[in-house]
Amino acid sequence: MPGWLPISAPAGGGAAYDWQDDRIERHRKEIREAYGFRANTEEDQERPAEWPAAELCPVGLSRERLTAAVTS
């Protein structure tokens, strides 16, 4: 990972940066390319919930089973 960020964003903070402009999309793309990331997909957004649901909450979403798990 480089020690500098190779984008054309203005130096001096984000207060004057137009976060709604097309530049933000270009800057995000430049950052992803510089660090080897890709844009998130819907599947990427669902993954963080899958592990806790499977590993930490295997009792399911039945109200009776959840109540029993909490009170036992």
Side-chain angles (χ1 to χ4, degrees):
M1 183 176 341
W4 50 274
L5 194 56
I7 62 170
S8 56
Y17 188 73
D18 186 358
W19 294 95
Q20 304 300 316
D21 195 345
D22 290 339
R23 284 182 292 173
I24 188 71
E25 296 298 323
R26 187 178 75 243
H27 293 162
R28 287 180 183 156
K29 182 180 178 203
E30 291 172 356
I31 292 167
R32 286 193 303 268
E33 289 173 355
Y35 290 99
F37 293 105
R38 62 175 171 72
N40 285 337
T41 65
E42 281 189 35
E43 182 181 339
D44 294 331
Q45 295 174 16
E46 293 170 3
R47 272 190 206 150
E50 291 173 2
W51 183 84
E55 299 297 323
L56 301 178
C57 304
V59 292
L61 297 178
S62 160
R63 182 178 295 272
E64 293 80 21
R65 292 182 76 183
L66 288 173
T67 302
V70 170
T71 59
S72 60

